[in-house]
């Protein structure tokens, strides 16, 4: 690693939902930030305000191809995260996770940079252990429609730990649980953005299944704080570390909360549950509390209100409107 006054940080997927908030925080912390994105699900508008800053640059690049940059830290976030988008081109999803990880680990090896992988609670699949602890190996269908994401993220974790053992890289693996907030795409099919947009448009709220399945939703600011804390841990901390909000909620309750917060008259509609949809999901964050002194601070009521405000403004004044 080269000693620089300010760390030079590569953020892949930096124009996406989580990546753009991460870039913002790193720019504020005076890092030199290189954002790499192929704009598959990311948007230039998410980081446009940063392009005026001297310590921020953006490169259009697909991480499945080699990249040559000199950096001290890498946050590897590039990968579509919503089922609609990762299932649209499943081969590209696997390539992004696997070839992308190999290319980014290659940079880390050459530059002796620290590298953090944005892994996911999906590595636990439809879990048989609840809440999920990091030592649980998961219950994943390797040939189902979600496998391009779940298995590719698992393979990326394998690569990270093999580079750690074989090449002594400084790795950090974060297993991110469902995260929400402003800048989610209105059409990415994830539950929070779907329900908020439907509520604001007074359309039916589309619950898949009977709504008894659970998730645990973390507001984006909390999550970004956890990622930065994990990157800044001492060398022996590798993870995997769960990052998420342990406040578990049924999808039915989430729908009712969003209807109430947005003041909508939408009614709930029910349609079939997608294949392999996990029944329960909740992180055990004991490890993150201990190692990172981190836990989410933003209640769902506050995070959802901020998200509703964001989408309300988007619907009134969408980006690109003349
Ligand atoms: P997102 O889709 O908004 O962001 C992903 C970004 O990666 C986009 O900007 C996209 O254009 C870019 N990208 C995709 N393929 C690429 C490629 N081949 N080369 C370069 N850029 C590419 O999703 P997000 O919610 O911000 O998720 C970011 C990361 O966090 C992903 O790796 C995702 O798996 C992980 N994660 C997110 C959540 C969540 O709830 N948001 C949960 C678990 C894990
Ligand atoms: N879901 C739903 N209606 C929607 C979108 C999603 O009921 O319009 C459900 C989905 O079936 C799942 C949960 O909400 O049980 C979370 O879905 P999401 O795609 O946001 O995340 P993931 O399944 O990857 O956790």
């Amino acid at each position: 690693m080269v000693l620089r006054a300010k760390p030079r940080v590569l953020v892949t997927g930096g124009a996406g939902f989580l990546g753009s908030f991460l870039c913002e925080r790193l720019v504020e912390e005076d890092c030199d930030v290189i954002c790499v994105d192929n704009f598959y699900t990311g948007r230039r508008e998410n980081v446009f305000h940063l392009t005026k800053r001297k310590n921020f640059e953006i490169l259009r690049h697909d991480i499945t191809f080699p990249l040559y940059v000199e950096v001290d830290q890498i946050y590897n976030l590039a990968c579509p995260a919503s089922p609609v988008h990762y299932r649209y081109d499943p081969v590209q999803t696997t390539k992004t996770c696997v070839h992308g990880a190999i290319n980014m680990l290659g940079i880390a090896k050459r530059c002796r940079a620290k590298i953090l992988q944005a892994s996911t609670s999906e590595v636990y699949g439809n879990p048989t252990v609840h809440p999920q602890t990091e030592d649980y190996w998961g219950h994943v269908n390797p040939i189902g429609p979600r496998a391009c994401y779940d298995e590719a993220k698992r393979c990326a974790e394998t690569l990270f730990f093999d580079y750690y053992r074989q090449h002594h890289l400084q790795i950090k693996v974060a297993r991110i649980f469902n995260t929400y907030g402003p800048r989610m795409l209105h059409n990415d099919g994830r539950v929070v953005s779907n329900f908020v947009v439907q509520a604001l448009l007074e359309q039916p709220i589309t619950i898949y299944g009977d709504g008894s399945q659970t998730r645990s939703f973390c507001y984006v600011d909390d999550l970004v704080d956890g990622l930065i804390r994990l990157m800044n841990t001492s060398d022996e901390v590798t993870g995997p570390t769960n990052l998420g909000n342990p406040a578990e909620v049924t999808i039915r309750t989430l729908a009712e909360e969003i209807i109430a917060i947005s003041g909508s008259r939408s009614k709930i509609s029910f349609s079939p549950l997608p294949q392999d949809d996990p029944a329960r999901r909740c992180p055990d964050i004991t490890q993150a509390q201990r190692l990172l002194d981190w836990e989410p601070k933003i209640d769902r009521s506050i995070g959802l209100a901020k998200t509703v405000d964001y989408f309300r403004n988007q619907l009134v004044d969408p980006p690109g409107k003349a």
Side-chain angles (χ1 to χ4, degrees):
M1 189 172 103
V2 181
L3 277 181
R4 278 182 257 274
K6 307 178 198 171
R8 189 176 294 162
V9 185
L10 171 63
V11 180
T12 76
F17 161 51
L18 296 182
S20 61
F21 283 98
L22 176 62
C23 286
E24 220 166 77
R25 271 283 303 273
L26 294 169
V27 165
E28 285 313 318
E29 289 182 8
D30 221 20
C31 301
D32 260 330
V33 178
I34 305 176
C35 163
V36 162
D37 206 293
N38 69 351
F39 302 112
Y40 179 62
T41 49
R43 289 174 294 180
R44 222 184 298 265
E45 302 94 86
N46 286 345
V47 286
F48 187 70
H49 59 294
L50 297 176
T51 55
K52 297 172 195 77
R53 302 288 292 262
K54 281 196 185 119
N55 54 337
F56 180 81
E57 60 186 299
I58 182 157
L59 295 177
R60 179 192 283 267
H61 177 80
D62 180 331
I63 63 155
T64 63
F65 295 96
L67 174 70
Y68 291 90
V69 286
E70 302 296 325
V71 290
D72 307 306
Q73 297 180 1
I74 304 170
Y75 288 86
N76 187 34
L77 270 64
C79 180
S82 88
V84 169
H85 287 131
Y86 68 64
R87 290 171 59 170
Y88 174 75
D89 188 346
V91 174
Q92 173 67 10
T93 299
T94 301
K95 279 188 184 171
T96 295
C97 291
V98 177
H99 295 200
I102 292 170
N103 288 329
M104 295 309 110
L105 286 159
I107 298 176
K109 183 170 167 233
R110 181 172 53 76
C111 300
R112 301 313 297 171
K114 253 196 280 191
I115 180 165
L116 181 147
Q117 167 67 357
S119 190
T120 166
S121 53
E122 292 283 335
V123 301
Y124 301 122
N126 192 0
T128 53
V129 166
H130 195 83
Q132 290 80 60
T133 43
E134 289 87 352
D135 57 2
Y136 174 51
W137 290 356
H139 179 224
V140 175
N141 175 358
I143 57 167
R146 294 173 85 104
C148 61
Y149 184 73
D150 303 4
E151 293 290 17
K153 287 283 190 180
R154 286 167 69 95
C155 182
E157 287 200 9
T158 307
L159 283 162
F160 268 67
F161 277 87
D162 283 335
Y163 270 76
Y164 168 70
R165 284 183 287 257
Q166 196 174 333
H167 298 299
H168 312 293
L169 249 57
Q170 286 183 58
I171 62 157
K172 312 280 172 192
V173 174
R175 290 187 178 153
I176 303 171
F177 284 64
N178 297 63
T179 302
Y180 70 99
R183 300 192 197 144
M184 295 179 86
L185 287 176
H186 73 279
N187 61 350
D188 77 1
R190 283 188 268 194
V191 67
V192 172
S193 43
N194 266 14
F195 286 2
V196 168
V197 171
Q198 289 162 348
L200 291 174
L201 296 176
E202 309 266 338
Q203 292 171 350
I205 306 288
T206 55
I207 289 186
Y208 305 154
D210 62 5
S212 62
Q213 71 271 36
T214 68
R215 295 292 187 273
S216 307
F217 296 97
C218 186
Y219 189 68
V220 58
D221 291 353
D222 281 332
L223 196 280
V224 165
D225 188 45
L227 290 177
I228 292 175
R229 281 173 189 249
L230 180 58
M231 179 62 102
N232 291 332
T233 48
S234 55
D235 294 1
E236 58 288 356
V237 177
T238 58
T241 302
N242 289 339
L243 291 179
N245 191 323
E248 187 181 1
V249 64
T250 66
I251 295 303
R252 168 103 204 200
T253 301
L254 178 75
E256 288 162 354
E257 288 177 353
I258 290 176
I259 290 172
I261 288 171
S262 57
S264 170
R265 284 168 302 178
S266 290
K267 300 278 176 268
I268 288 175
S269 78
F270 294 92
S271 48
L273 196 65
Q275 190 190 331
D276 295 339
D277 199 281
R280 295 188 75 183
R281 189 184 286 151
C282 178
D284 180 317
I285 59 163
T286 313
Q287 195 194 116
Q289 285 167 319
R290 182 169 47 83
L291 293 177
L292 316 181
D293 189 23
W294 174 88
E295 62 185 9
K297 294 191 168 54
I298 299 164
D299 279 348
R300 205 166 54 244
S301 58
I302 293 171
L304 286 177
K306 288 175 190 257
T307 310
V308 166
D309 280 351
Y310 168 80
F311 279 107
R312 192 174 268 129
N313 289 332
Q314 289 281 299
L315 293 173
V316 174
D317 188 15
K321 196 174 118 181

